[in-house]
Amino acid sequence: MNIRSRFFSEENPDNFARSGELRLRARAAIPGGAHTYAKGDDQYPLLAPGFISRGLGCHVWDVDGNEFIEYGMGLRAVSLGHGFPAVVKAAVEQLSRGTNFTRPSALEVGCAERLIELVPGADMAKFTKDGSTATTAAIRLARAYTGRDMIALCSDQPFFSYDDWAIGATPMNAGVPQAVAQLTQGFRYNDLSSAEALFAQHPGRVAALILEAEREVPPAPGYLATLRELCHRNGALLIMDEMITGFRWPECSAQRHHGVEADLSTFGKAMGNGIAISALLGRREIMELGGLDHDRDRVFLLSTTHGAETHALAAALAVMNTYRDEPVIETLHRQGSRLKAGIESSAQRHGLARHFKLVGRTSNMVYACCDRDGVPSQTFRTLFLQETIRRGVLAPSLVTSYSHSNDDIDRTIEAIDGAFAVYQKALEDGPEAHLIGRPVAPVFRRRATSTSAGTPRAKVRGSSEAKAS
């Protein structure tokens, strides 16, 4: 089966004309040309869809009419599939009744109660729109509850918030006061000694440790439970960021899966199947500091105009109902396992086992592209993206959804097999002979690098013009 996009062929190599035109306008009107750094031009090869016009299930269409099987799934926010009927129906019905009122809606109570049932150790919940706002609220609560100012985050995990306390710990920290940045320290995942060292170096100052329970590698046996005990022994709270693991891991929660209870936790992304909603949950005595039933200083906690819009709450309830009634998580893992087996078999056939590596739970896989020496390479990642896009697959990650059918998975494996054939040649004669344009770049880098904002033009493969700019 040949699944190369019918819009991209040797006769019609430049099939992204409208995207190219929009890039010029976007870069003039929007810093970076996109509202999310992970969706920016510097994250994709020059020959790539620049703007998506619609999606259905696991398929998306760009503004030029090109169709792709998608695996980014809205940066993991879409676990059921684009336009999932039950979620759309619930949100649209609520939209017609109004989305925002002077007093709370009854949906706020029902949705909070349902979510609390899913999260171990949680007594109360509060909604907002994005993950960064939720994690920052957790940090503020931890500081108020403990009376301490320092925060420790897992430095092996890339992103917790766009707010100063987190971004100040990354290379992309321009605009963050040094005094604020110094209040955040890092510890290593699966390394208890690094957390112990932080408490020893800053006695009585650490308010909380924040981490994802699992990312590319699972926690070592006993690690999370011991980390929780270490926090409590030192008077600190444990915060679990479940923006990604929530609704993708077994039982909808990595905490429940691994048998640990955080003091505070944050959920979002897949909770609304792409509709903006996130939540902070935690123990009553901590969460209530943002409420009315206590005699301590009040914490200004997630008082947002749009945090509990009714259509988003209705969507979240529809998502939770679907997870309750249908085998969503089992399907994510099953289809991810099918995809993984096919890719690894193809990589073995092409002699790429050392050069293309899949990591992470099968419901949430990412990959590493390596050069001939086995070193991770942005150039080879760009080439892989370019060649899978040529074959009708858009895969910045390999995150499955409930809508990925066996046929979608098998077509993807075939597309990747074709991309691997080019990858194999590039290891022999250099990626510059095959890559059109410049390589992608890490999001968290100190300096901006130039990327072409114009319409990408195809070059003759093997010519001097095909070298990365």
Side-chain angles (χ1 to χ4, degrees), residues 271-346:
M271 187 169 75
N273 197 49
I275 293 177
I277 184 168
S278 62
L280 167 66
L281 299 99
R283 289 166 29 206
R284 185 175 306 278
E285 64 268 27
I286 306 171
M287 294 287 289
E288 190 55 63
L289 292 182
L292 302 172
D293 299 325
H294 64 91
D295 57 3
R296 295 180 59 173
D297 290 345
R298 297 180 68 197
V299 174
F300 195 91
L301 180 65
L302 290 178
S303 181
T304 59
T305 300
H306 302 289
E309 287 177 322
T310 57
H311 73 288
L313 296 170
L317 283 166
V319 168
M320 287 187 275
N321 289 340
T322 303
Y323 273 75
R324 180 195 62 200
D325 299 336
E326 301 183 35
V328 177
I329 291 177
E330 296 88 337
T331 301
L332 300 183
H333 284 83
R334 184 182 67 249
Q335 298 302 74
S337 295
R338 184 187 184 102
L339 181 62
K340 180 179 182 180
I343 292 173
E344 289 182 339
S345 176
S346 176

Side-chain angles (χ1 to χ4, degrees), residues 206-457:
V206 178
L209 270 63
I210 183 170
L211 77 160
E212 296 179 72
E214 182 178 347
R215 201 169 176 93
E216 281 77 26
V217 297
Y223 169 70
L224 295 175
T226 307
L227 189 67
R228 181 178 188 269
E229 189 277 329
L230 177 66
C231 287
H232 290 180
R233 180 164 23 105
N234 286 276
L237 302 184
L238 179 64
I239 303 171
M240 288 285 185
D241 179 346
E242 292 225 45
M243 289 294 158
I244 291 175
T245 57
F247 296 92
R248 283 198 173 274
W249 263 236
E251 300 181 85
C252 296
S253 166
Q255 293 175 75
R256 191 175 295 279
H257 177 59
H258 291 298
V260 65
E261 293 183 2
D263 299 300
L264 296 169
S265 54
T266 57
F267 283 72
K269 287 190 182 288
M271 187 169 75
N273 197 49
I275 293 177
I277 184 168
S278 62
L280 167 66
L281 299 99
R283 289 166 29 206
R284 185 175 306 278
E285 64 268 27
I286 306 171
M287 294 287 289
E288 190 55 63
L289 292 182
L292 302 172
D293 299 325
H294 64 91
D295 57 3
R296 295 180 59 173
D297 290 345
R298 297 180 68 197
V299 174
F300 195 91
L301 180 65
L302 290 178
S303 181
T304 59
T305 300
H306 302 289
E309 287 177 322
T310 57
H311 73 288
L313 296 170
L317 283 166
V319 168
M320 287 187 275
N321 289 340
T322 303
Y323 273 75
R324 180 195 62 200
D325 299 336
E326 301 183 35
V328 177
I329 291 177
E330 296 88 337
T331 301
L332 300 183
H333 284 83
R334 184 182 67 249
Q335 298 302 74
S337 295
R338 184 187 184 102
L339 181 62
K340 180 179 182 180
I343 292 173
E344 289 182 339
S345 176
S346 176
Q348 192 72 36
R349 287 196 307 273
H350 287 283
L352 297 177
R354 286 184 60 245
H355 306 283
F356 188 89
K357 302 173 183 177
L358 290 172
V359 294
R361 182 168 288 273
T362 56
S363 63
N364 186 61
M365 291 187 294
V366 295
Y367 56 84
C369 296
C370 301
D371 62 18
R372 67 184 64 183
D373 297 318
V375 177
S377 166
Q378 295 284 56
T379 300
F380 275 94
R381 175 179 173 82
T382 313
L383 179 62
F384 177 77
L385 283 167
Q386 172 184 286
E387 295 304 313
T388 49
I389 287 168
R390 282 171 59 90
R391 292 161 175 82
V393 172
L394 184 60
S397 58
L398 288 165
V399 176
T400 51
S401 77
Y402 192 46
S403 296
H404 280 88
S405 68
N406 287 344
D407 183 59
D408 291 315
I409 299 296
D410 293 344
R411 291 171 62 195
T412 301
I413 292 168
E414 184 180 348
I416 289 176
D417 187 76
F420 280 167
V422 179
Y423 200 128
Q424 183 180 19
K425 293 177 183 176
L427 287 172
E428 298 169 358
D429 53 22
E432 295 83 5
H434 305 273
L435 179 63
I436 300 171
R438 79 294 179 273
V440 299
V443 168
F444 292 106
R445 61 188 191 275
R446 187 172 297 276
R447 293 286 184 175
T449 53
S450 177
T451 58
S452 173
T455 304
R457 305 296 304 182

